[in-house]
Every structure is written in C-alpha cells, then in structure tokens.
Amino acid sequence: MLLQIGSINTFYGPSQAIHGVSFGVGNREVVALLGRNGAGKSTTLRSIMGLNPVASGRIAFDGQDISRHSPQAISRLGITLVPETRDPFVLLTVKENIMLGYRPGSPYTLDRLMDLFPLLAELLKKKGGELSGGQQQMMVMARGLAMGPRVLLLDEPSQGLAPIMVKAVANVLKQLKGEDLTLLLVEQNLNMALEIADRVVVLENGSVADTFTSEEGRANPGRLEQYLAVH
C-alpha cells in the first residue's frame, strides 16, 4: 500500500475523535471515506496531513513513517489536502491562487490544469473572492494539483455546490482516475463516491465499521445505508 494507516488514535483536547483506525490506499487507487457527520472522516484526513497529530498508531507513506512529521514535511513528500473550507486567497487572482502552490516539475502545469478545469480558463484574472462556491472549489482543487502530489486528499469536494458544479467536479475526478495519482476522498454524495472510488471505507463513531469495493456497494446499497441513516 502506498499510504498505510495503522491503528491511529487522534484527540481534540481530552475528547478522542479517532479510535484505532486502520486502512490502506494502494498506488493509483481511489478510496472513498464515508460515514455520518461526526464519524471522524475529516479528522482522519487531517491526521494523515499532520494537522491533527496522532496520539498513537502509525501512518506510513511509501514505507516511510510520517506519523510525527509536520504538515510542511508531509506536503514536500507528495501528499496534498484540499480542505472542505476551500480557503481561497480572496485578493489574489485565480491564476495567482493556482500557481501559488506550483512546484517545478509538477505535471500539472497551468495549461494542463485549464484542460482539466475549462470553467476556470476564462476566470484567471478574476479575484478569488469574486468566484462562486463551485468555482472556488475548482480553483483550490487546481491549486492542490499544481503541487504535483502523489496522493491527493479531498474533503467533501461537492459540499454545498449546485448540481451542475457537482457534475463538473465529478468529471474532473473521473479524469484524474486515469493519471499517476492516488485519491482519498471524503464525500457526502454517495452516488458520486461509488461511481468514482475503487473501494469504500466506512467510519462510524471514529472507528472503521466496514470496507468493501464500490461494486459491492452498488450491488447492495443497504450495506452502506445502514451506517448513514440518522438514528
């Protein structure tokens, strides 16, 4: 496995958010991390990125233990997080927002990114704060890719978007599936997640409750819905 999460425990102060979570993500695999609100999905991504350091357990990337690395060191190794908050630089242009993260040698040049995100091509001179939510989502995804990651962590990329923008985000993710890139996706849109992902990991109350292929999830919707129904 390119990315291996082994029995990690993560806390917010005295409150434990992640309880012994373990799973792996293979090279060029797309894994969807699903579960109800508060299940620990975003915290898991933040733990991988070093933003919420794990109290115990091990996170390995390409065989290297990164459990105690800083977010900057993890980013340099080739892992990038696109947060659900989007966090655009509102006073910078779209082009400046995107190229802020560009690393020399990244296959995702500005021209390549405009092929992936044609909706942004006509907005490059606009300020980040002038964009709609969907346009901002495209921009921060492009910024993350400009860093040339080997693993892209995506936290709720379709959250709060109009249906047309959800479809646009899904189309980009489908294109990325064919690239030399590994994706770990937290997504509330189950149909989209099952369509894009190779495999699903379900979290419940901060622990792994189930794991199965997307084909199994589509064939047996109740297997996933039992974890997502509101109690």
Side-chain angles (χ1 to χ4, degrees):
M1 290 291 179
L2 180 63
L3 183 65
Q4 188 70 55
I5 291 74
S7 300
I8 64 169
N9 295 282
T10 304
F11 290 76
Y12 287 104
S15 178
Q16 186 168 2
I18 298 296
H19 301 261
V21 164
S22 297
F23 65 92
V25 185
N27 188 39
R28 299 184 67 173
E29 187 179 24
V30 181
V31 172
L33 197 56
L34 305 179
R36 284 192 293 272
N37 288 337
K41 307 182 300 296
S42 295
T43 303
T44 299
L45 294 190
R46 290 178 60 83
S47 296
I48 295 168
M49 201 68 220
L51 296 167
N52 286 110
V54 297
S56 60
R58 184 175 188 266
I59 300 172
F61 174 56
D62 203 13
Q64 179 180 353
D65 189 341
I66 62 170
S67 309
R68 305 296 180 267
H69 283 27
S70 69
Q72 293 80 9
I74 292 168
S75 175
R76 285 194 294 270
L77 287 173
I79 301 177
T80 294
L81 170 65
V82 179
E84 63 176 319
T85 50
R86 301 190 184 122
D87 299 330
F89 293 94
V90 296
L91 298 181
L92 298 183
T93 65
V94 171
K95 181 178 179 180
E96 289 167 339
N97 263 278
I98 293 171
M99 298 310 292
L100 197 65
Y102 181 75
R103 286 182 179 152
S106 168
Y108 295 100
T109 62
L110 186 63
D111 286 345
R112 175 72 182 103
L113 290 169
M114 291 307 98
D115 288 340
L116 279 170
F117 301 93
L119 292 175
L120 293 179
E122 298 178 0
L123 303 173
L124 289 177
K125 294 182 180 179
K126 276 202 166 189
K127 294 288 194 292
E130 298 174 344
L131 304 188
S132 69
Q135 292 166 342
Q136 285 186 351
Q137 182 62 53
M138 296 283 193
M139 181 178 71
V140 297
M141 287 175 64
R143 185 173 68 198
L145 287 167
M147 299 176 74
R150 293 180 64 192
V151 177
L152 188 65
L153 311 175
L154 291 157
D155 196 356
E156 302 279 16
S158 77
Q159 185 176 43
L161 303 188
I164 189 171
M165 296 306 293
V166 171
K167 185 175 181 180
V169 168
N171 285 338
V172 171
L173 294 178
K174 288 174 189 174
Q175 291 182 70
L176 292 177
K177 277 197 73 167
E179 314 236 335
D180 188 17
L181 185 65
T182 300
L183 299 175
L184 179 55
L185 169 71
V186 169
E187 180 51 59
Q188 62 177 348
N189 186 318
L190 301 184
N191 289 333
M192 180 174 129
L194 290 174
E195 184 180 2
I196 292 167
D198 301 304
R199 193 159 46 88
V200 169
V201 175
V202 183
L203 293 187
E204 188 172 43
N205 299 321
S207 300
V208 174
D210 206 350
T211 182
F212 45 86
T213 67
S214 293
E215 288 81 1
E216 291 170 332
R218 288 192 293 268
N220 183 10
R223 182 171 178 178
L224 181 56
E225 290 168 0
Q226 66 176 316
Y227 299 111
L228 303 177
V230 178
H231 294 327

